[in-house]
Amino acid sequence: MRPQLLTWDVKSTLLCVRRSVGELYSSEAKLHGLQLEARALDRSFQAALQMQDKQFPNYGRGRGLTSQQWWVDVVKKTFCFCGVSDEQVLAPLAEKLYHQFCSAANWEVYGDVQDTLDHCRKLGVSMAVISNFDRRLEQILANCNLRKYFQFVMTSEDAGIAKPDQRIFRAALNLAQVEPRQAMHIGDDIRMDYLAARAVGMESYLICRGQEESCGAKRLVPRAHILSSLHQLCDLIK
């Protein structure tokens, strides 16, 4: 099948972070005179993130917050949970970490990505991104030299809707003026990507670079729909 539109998830599909949040935060904290363990910061970050997302879903869209304010609050809460409460320290630290996240140095492009995107572009397949992410994603993709491949980038912040809601997929299809049966989606999450895209009527495949069991895919996704490498997509799209 050669789709008219090929949509992509990003995190853990095209890109991964080089260091854990805790490692990143711990390194930056040292520059501000703070000695905090990366593991403790990882735990605090998860707690802060869950709290913020529950109170202000989808980066505070429609709740009077910008995504930058939303993330700065998460960073501050993360450090507060580790015993740091001085606002004069937290404010510049949180701002620095928010902007630093966009740096290409913070992200790694998987080794099977560039060749696959080049292959699809040479075939004339239009490509786009559908991702539960904030507006920094445009800059992250540009910094990683991937933005050039995509007709558009649809984030959950911009759309006001997050995967697995079918409306974000329909919004992308409408923007590309393509019918669901003419489109394909690739992602690493069974519910958010594989099943959500198929519920709309798109073709979809699950990228699972590790063991299938680690993806939870064994009983839910047909073996033929699981990719251990994006290079397999080149055989599917000709």
Side-chain angles (χ1 to χ4, degrees):
M1 173 190 176
R2 185 186 295 187
Q4 290 188 26
L5 176 69
L6 177 59
T7 62
W8 297 86
D9 174 52
V10 174
K11 191 172 181 293
S12 300
T13 297
L14 302 176
L15 303 172
C16 64
V17 289
R18 294 182 185 276
R19 296 188 292 171
S20 73
V21 169
E23 290 170 335
L24 180 64
Y25 284 20
S26 179
S27 295
E28 188 61 32
K30 286 179 183 178
L31 301 178
H32 293 259
L34 302 173
Q35 298 293 325
L36 298 168
E37 290 186 359
R39 289 182 183 179
L41 285 164
D42 273 325
R43 291 192 295 269
S44 294
F45 174 77
Q46 290 301 324
L49 185 64
Q50 289 174 15
M51 180 184 296
Q52 188 80 332
D53 194 49
K54 184 176 181 180
Q55 188 174 4
F56 302 105
N58 198 16
Y59 310 109
R61 171 74 185 258
R63 301 291 297 275
L65 289 177
T66 65
S67 57
Q68 180 169 344
Q69 291 171 324
W70 193 93
W71 275 116
V72 165
D73 285 347
V74 169
V75 177
K76 288 181 178 180
K77 285 188 176 81
T78 298
F79 283 98
C80 281
F81 291 161
C82 286
V84 180
S85 57
D86 186 346
E87 182 63 23
Q88 290 187 330
V89 174
L90 288 176
L93 182 56
E95 289 289 340
K96 177 71 178 296
L97 285 168
Y98 172 82
H99 292 290
Q100 192 179 58
F101 197 67
C102 293
S103 169
N106 195 49
W107 295 91
E108 181 177 350
V109 180
Y110 288 110
D112 54 1
V113 168
Q114 200 93 33
D115 290 345
T116 304
L117 294 177
D118 282 334
H119 170 82
C120 294
R121 184 165 66 172
K122 286 176 183 177
L123 290 177
V125 177
S126 292
M127 292 185 285
V129 162
I130 303 176
S131 177
N132 288 354
F133 217 102
D134 61 75
R135 293 189 178 107
R136 287 178 297 177
L137 187 56
E138 288 265 7
Q139 190 60 54
I140 290 169
L141 289 169
N143 290 344
C144 293
N145 201 30
L146 295 182
R147 179 62 183 87
K148 62 186 179 183
Y149 290 103
F150 305 114
Q151 180 182 342
F152 59 85
V153 173
M154 181 166 289
T155 66
S156 57
E157 182 185 5
D158 286 322
I161 313 158
K163 297 182 298 186
D165 194 312
Q166 293 183 22
R167 290 176 294 173
I168 193 169
F169 290 93
R170 295 191 188 282
L173 292 167
N174 289 338
L175 187 59
Q177 297 184 321
V178 169
E179 294 295 323
R181 59 184 173 78
Q182 300 170 320
M184 180 187 292
H185 180 73
I186 311 295
D188 72 301
D189 190 283
I190 296 174
R191 186 173 68 94
M192 299 283 190
D193 295 304
Y194 179 79
L195 294 176
R198 286 189 172 264
V200 177
M202 299 170 68
E203 184 79 2
S204 65
Y205 289 87
L206 184 74
I207 177 67
C208 187
R209 291 183 177 87
Q211 296 295 319
E212 290 176 27
E213 290 78 5
S214 69
C215 298
K218 193 171 183 180
R219 298 180 181 177
L220 296 172
V221 182
R223 184 67 191 87
H225 295 169
I226 300 173
L227 308 174
S228 59
S229 166
L230 291 181
H231 288 145
Q232 292 172 258
L233 201 61
C234 298
D235 295 325
L236 293 168
I237 301 176
K238 296 180 178 179

